Amino acid sequence: MPIIIFGAALRADGTPSPALQHRVQAAVLFGKQQRAHLYLATGGVPQNGLTEAAVMRRLLLENGVSAEAILEDHVATDTFDSVINCTKILKEQGLEGHTLALTSSPYHLPRCLLLMRLAGWQVQAVPFPFPVSGQESWFLMALRIGHELVASIWDALLVLRWRIVR
């Protein structure tokens, strides 16, 4: 089963944020249980010369994933780009018809699942076995939820347009 790992911001020095580390760890744990044969790391926003995908590749290798099982999208700058780029990469690999496992942070995962389904894929969520911070104020949590809601609607419209136009 292919696993897509959606990127998260890197620190200014190019090291992974806790969110990115957790996403990769969740993918590795799930991949071992499900005997995943492919990991697709997506994220092209660079910090200190490194993209999110490059940092995820390093983390996957450090966790015992073989180099041959890792694909990277170094171009995507947002979730919509990731969905489109991953669709193209997976089709090039001949993986149409496969169910994909998606990993991201809990607040972001519903958008990823929705967009990949709208792009024509069968998908399932990778369990996220890490605690959600709980340190966030109600105001910040409301902002995050509001952002995801608006972004989900906007990105869904973009994916549908992409499917029609292409």
Side-chain angles (χ1 to χ4, degrees):
M1 170 179 293
I3 300 174
I4 297 176
I5 309 167
F6 284 84
L10 299 173
R11 293 182 174 137
D13 64 358
T15 58
S17 63
L20 187 68
Q21 291 175 359
H22 286 152
R23 292 176 187 192
V24 172
Q25 289 170 338
V28 169
L29 289 171
F30 183 80
K32 288 178 182 175
Q33 294 168 353
Q34 300 295 317
R35 299 177 194 214
H37 66 279
L38 183 73
Y39 295 80
L40 176 49
T42 179
V45 180
Q47 290 290 346
N48 199 27
L50 297 169
T51 63
E52 298 155 87
V55 171
M56 286 189 274
R57 176 183 186 78
R58 180 180 51 78
L59 293 171
L60 287 166
L61 292 170
E62 289 172 0
N63 280 280
V65 175
S66 71
E68 298 79 30
I70 304 170
L71 296 175
E72 300 163 75
D73 164 29
H74 295 282
V75 181
T77 58
D78 60 23
T79 307
F80 170 74
D81 286 346
S82 290
V83 168
I84 302 307
N85 294 346
C86 287
T87 293
K88 291 174 183 176
I89 291 167
L90 293 167
K91 285 184 177 183
E92 288 171 3
Q93 295 293 314
L95 294 171
E96 287 181 276
H98 283 72
T99 298
L100 308 175
L102 309 182
T103 186
S104 189
S105 300
Y107 67 88
H108 185 241
L109 190 56
R111 179 163 39 137
C112 299
L113 291 164
L114 170 67
L115 298 179
M116 289 302 291
R117 284 184 181 125
L118 290 174
W121 296 96
Q122 293 179 353
V123 294
Q124 72 178 67
V126 170
F128 197 78
F130 305 100
V132 180
S133 74
Q135 302 290 333
E136 212 169 60
S137 72
W138 285 102
F139 178 74
L140 289 176
M141 190 180 342
L143 281 177
R144 184 184 305 263
I145 291 169
H147 168 82
E148 284 301 316
L149 206 74
V150 171
S152 294
I153 293 166
W154 178 252
D155 285 350
L157 291 171
L158 291 175
V159 170
L160 291 172
R161 180 179 165 268
W162 172 78
R163 284 195 72 184
I164 292 167
V165 172
R166 71 179 171 138

